[in-house]
């Protein structure tokens, strides 16, 4: 994914956006007469404060927010098309529907997921003791939003942060400020009191300023790996925890027993959807040699019949055309059998059959409707090609035997493995994104993403019946010694080398 947080802005100290001493510098900060967050930070004891909404109020808000988004679908389609070039039907199915489903899911299930949980398995000698895990808000969560799914991604991030009990401050993308401004308007109108959901300017400098904001307990960043590194470095300077969802550059794996026609249709849909500007879309297909010809025969008519897609800007379109030209010059074959003759933001989706190993398109961190296809014969070759690509965020496996894919899943290294599909399964409201390596860290979306917007507090209680305190008497010592000796019966420790 791309982002608007400038590298230059992260390489210099950033002053606060509002002059020092102004108690209203960020909405939601305590006013005159009350202790400010900065005072507490300076004292080394800042108290974490969530949004103070009851779970019942949060559930009502989430349901209302989802309804408002659905009701305003036409306006969102208009705004997103004007800002990113996305067709209206894609906004409906890839922005509105997943966000509404997520809001409704959280309204129904967040209360149970965040409820206190008893810790079972208490040893008998801890009689009278009980322990529970309580999920408490992180405090104030900053979100640096991205543009490629401006409504869905930011909307779900806001839903999860608020439902977990946090206050939120958003830096919208400078490429989709109007659609994200409207989204925030609806979130507030759904019933959020002042100070729960704040925003800063969508310009690049505001992202760096947000990183320097003292009243921040966690940062969620969605963007490129290169900028993500700078965000991580800046956050580490102040020990600020982060969730980083960065670039994906993953594979679709077609096994020997797969249906090549089904695989080609599913993979191609993921490649052309949103003009290929989806972090979880495959960048390469690694197809078993036994079905490579059948897969190529199935994808050729799809590529040949694909219409032009609009990229986010001219540099992105030029990168797409350059990678295609490089792969063809090195011996790759165009499935579309036609070159891209445009010179604007519109590009022709392309699949490179028999993509050469030295072609940049096979492993490049690109963000467009381009697919590199390469055959493999044995599993070691498959894993070598897959791991060479790096940035494992979402990997697809196509096979007629799901058990085969299950065995392979843990060795692919990604946070999501979809079997016999690419994008659609990730829209399930309970599904989480857990990037690996250069694709980021932390968890977002779904069950695990909601829990990640909280921190666990262990609460223990000692009842009226309790073990005696102090040093045990000789009889009790003999009993305890015998008990531990019985636990280790029949086991001989290795020689001590000390």
């Amino acid at each position: 994914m791309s982002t608007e947080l400038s590298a230059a802005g992260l390489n210099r100290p950033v002053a606060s956006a509002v002059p020092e001493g102004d108690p209203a510098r960020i909405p939601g900060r305590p006013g005159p007469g009350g202790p400010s967050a900065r005072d507490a930070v300076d004292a080394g004891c800042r108290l974490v404060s969530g949004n103070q909404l009851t779970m019942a109020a949060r559930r009502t808000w989430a349901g209302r927010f989802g309804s408002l988004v659905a009701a305003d679908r036409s306006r969102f389609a208009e705004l997103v098309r004007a800002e990113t070039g996305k067709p209206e039907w894609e906004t409906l199915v890839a922005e509105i529907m997943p966000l509404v489903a997520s809001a409704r899911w959280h309204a129904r299930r967040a209360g149970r997921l965040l409820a206190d949980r008893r810790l079972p398995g208490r040893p008998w000698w801890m009689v009278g003791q009980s322990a529970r895990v309580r999920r408490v808000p992180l405090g104030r969560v900053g979100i640096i939003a991205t543009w490629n799914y401006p409504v869905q991604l930011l909307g779900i991030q806001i839903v999860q942060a608020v439902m977990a009990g946090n206050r939120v401050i958003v830096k919208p993308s400078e490429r989709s400020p109007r659609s994200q401004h409207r989204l925030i308007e609806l979130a507030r109108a759904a019933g959020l009191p002042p100070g729960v959901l704040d925003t800063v300017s969508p310009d690049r400098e505001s992202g760096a300023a947000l990183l320097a904001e003292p009243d921040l307990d966690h940062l969620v960043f969605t963007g490129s790996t290169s900028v993500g590194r700078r965000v991580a470095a800046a956050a580490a300077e102040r020990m600020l925890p982060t969730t980083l969802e960065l670039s994906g550059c993953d594979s679709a794996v077609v096994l020997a027993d797969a249906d090549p026609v089904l695989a080609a249709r599913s993979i191609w849909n993921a490649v052309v959807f949103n003009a290929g500007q989806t972090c979880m879309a495959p960048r390469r297909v690694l197809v078993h040699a036994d079905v490579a010809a059948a897969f190529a025969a199935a994808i050729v008519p799809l590529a040949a019949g694909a219409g032009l897609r609009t990229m986010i800007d001219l540099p992105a379109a030029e990168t797409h055309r350059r990678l295609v030209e490089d792969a063809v010059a090195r011996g790759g074959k165009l499935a579309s059998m036609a070159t891209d003759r445009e010179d604007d933001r519109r590009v022709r989706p392309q699949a490179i059959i028999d993509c050469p190993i030295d072609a940049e398109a096979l492993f490049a961190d690109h963000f467009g409707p381009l697919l590199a296809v390469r055959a493999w014969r044995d599993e070691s070759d498959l894993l070598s090609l897959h791991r060479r690509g790096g940035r494992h965020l979402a990997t697809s496996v196509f096979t007629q035997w799901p058990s085969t894919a299950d065995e392979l899943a843990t060795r692919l290294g990604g946070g999501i493995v979809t079997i016999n599909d690419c994008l659609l399964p990730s829209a399930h409201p309970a599904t989480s994104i857990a990037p690996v390596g250069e694709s980021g860290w932390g968890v977002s979306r779904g069950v695990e993403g909601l829990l990640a917007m909280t921190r666990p507090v262990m609460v223990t209680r000692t009842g009226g019946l309790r073990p005696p305190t102090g040093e045990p008497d000789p009889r009790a010592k003999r009993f305890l010694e015998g008990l531990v000796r019985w636990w280790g019966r029949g086991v001989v420790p290795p020689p001590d080398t000390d």
Side-chain angles (χ1 to χ4, degrees):
M1 292 183 179
S2 180
T3 188
E4 291 69 48
L5 188 59
S6 67
L10 286 170
N11 290 332
R12 65 175 187 275
V14 179
S16 297
V18 178
E20 188 71 25
D22 182 355
R25 54 188 296 273
I26 295 291
R29 171 126 349 139
S36 70
R38 181 178 293 280
D39 294 335
V41 170
D42 292 340
C45 58
R46 185 174 71 80
L47 299 178
V48 172
S49 176
N51 59 37
Q52 307 303 314
L53 296 174
T54 66
M55 178 53 70
R58 287 179 245 164
R59 293 177 62 189
T60 300
W61 167 80
R64 177 68 174 161
F65 178 44
S67 297
L68 286 174
V69 169
D72 211 24
R73 59 195 178 279
S74 297
R75 180 57 175 159
F76 277 119
E78 176 186 340
L79 291 172
V80 172
R81 185 178 186 89
E83 292 180 324
T84 70
K86 185 176 297 188
E88 293 182 4
W89 74 269
E90 285 193 1
T91 296
L92 182 68
V93 302
E95 305 274 6
I96 305 301
M97 291 175 62
L99 174 53
V100 173
S102 180
R104 293 165 60 89
W105 182 87
H106 281 84
R108 291 192 302 268
R109 301 177 184 275
R112 291 192 296 273
L113 291 171
L114 298 176
D116 286 5
R117 180 170 56 88
R118 186 176 66 87
L119 297 179
R122 182 199 67 197
W124 65 265
W125 45 270
M126 293 186 67
V127 61
Q129 302 288 318
S130 65
R132 292 179 177 272
V133 179
R134 179 165 297 163
R135 310 301 306 198
V136 301
L138 298 175
R140 198 172 197 226
V141 175
I143 300 175
I144 297 178
T146 190
W147 56 266
N148 60 325
Y149 288 89
V151 177
Q152 181 219 135
L153 293 182
L154 176 58
I156 294 176
Q157 289 166 345
I158 291 173
V159 166
Q160 293 210 308
V162 171
M163 290 302 294
N166 299 290
R167 295 174 294 139
V168 184
I169 181 168
V170 176
K171 201 292 283 187
S173 168
E174 68 174 16
R175 288 176 168 172
S176 53
R178 296 174 64 203
S179 56
Q180 291 178 341
H181 173 72
R182 182 56 180 164
L183 182 70
I184 292 168
E185 279 186 335
L186 296 187
R188 289 170 173 162
L192 293 181
V196 173
L197 178 57
D198 299 327
T199 61
V200 296
S201 170
D203 59 75
R204 297 187 178 190
E205 289 72 19
S206 295
L210 181 58
L211 272 166
E213 166 56 37
D215 186 18
L216 201 64
D217 301 289
H218 192 92
L219 180 74
V220 178
F221 171 79
T222 306
S224 68
T225 297
S226 59
V227 178
R229 286 194 181 96
R230 297 184 177 95
V231 171
E237 286 292 325
R238 52 172 295 192
M239 299 292 287
L240 176 66
T242 57
T243 299
L244 304 180
E245 186 185 328
L246 309 179
S247 305
C249 186
D250 226 317
S251 312
V253 176
V254 182
L255 301 181
D257 63 346
D259 179 344
V261 175
L262 170 67
R265 289 176 178 172
S266 179
I267 293 168
W268 187 250
N269 176 69
V271 170
V272 300
F273 196 82
N274 200 35
Q277 298 165 134
T278 303
C279 61
M280 292 185 291
R283 305 300 180 212
R284 73 191 70 82
V285 179
L286 304 178
V287 55
H288 193 279
D290 289 350
V291 292
F295 179 85
I299 208 166
V300 162
L302 299 175
L308 298 176
R309 298 298 192 273
T310 301
M311 303 285 287
I312 187 62
D313 56 27
L314 184 58
E318 290 174 342
T319 296
H320 171 86
R321 287 188 276 266
R322 179 182 61 79
L323 291 174
V324 172
E325 291 171 0
D326 172 75
V328 172
R330 296 177 186 274
K333 306 177 184 66
L334 283 180
S336 68
M337 298 178 286
T339 58
D340 191 345
R341 298 183 180 181
E342 307 300 323
D343 58 2
D344 54 15
R345 290 169 54 196
R346 297 174 301 159
V347 301
R348 178 184 294 277
Q350 298 284 12
I352 310 297
I353 306 297
D354 297 329
C355 187
I357 195 71
D358 59 346
E360 188 179 355
L362 189 59
F363 303 113
D365 181 17
H366 61 89
F367 209 49
L370 173 59
L371 187 68
V373 182
R374 188 167 179 86
W376 56 277
R377 174 61 66 181
D378 56 61
E379 189 173 290
S380 61
D381 186 27
L382 163 65
L383 294 176
S384 175
L385 288 169
H386 172 67
R387 291 168 181 165
R388 181 172 172 179
R391 294 181 174 85
H392 302 310
L393 183 63
T395 307
S396 304
V397 181
F398 289 83
T399 176
Q400 293 188 26
W401 298 99
S403 59
T404 304
D406 287 339
E407 295 174 2
L408 188 61
T410 56
R411 289 178 285 169
L412 294 174
I416 300 178
V417 177
T418 57
I419 300 174
N420 293 329
D421 212 331
C422 288
L423 296 183
L424 182 60
S426 66
H428 191 301
T431 300
S432 300
I433 297 176
V436 177
E438 292 189 348
S439 284
W441 57 57
V443 186
S444 62
R445 304 166 68 98
V447 175
E448 300 299 329
L450 177 63
L451 296 179
M453 288 290 100
T454 68
R455 62 182 182 88
V457 175
M458 307 298 147
V459 180
T460 67
R461 297 177 182 175
T462 301
L465 183 64
R466 64 176 65 202
T469 57
E471 183 176 349
D473 60 30
R475 180 180 178 184
K477 288 180 180 178
R478 289 193 298 272
F479 172 76
L480 295 174
E481 171 66 26
L483 173 64
V484 175
R485 184 170 60 250
W486 183 75
W487 286 345
R489 67 191 183 283
V491 177
V492 179
D496 189 349
T497 59
D498 186 3

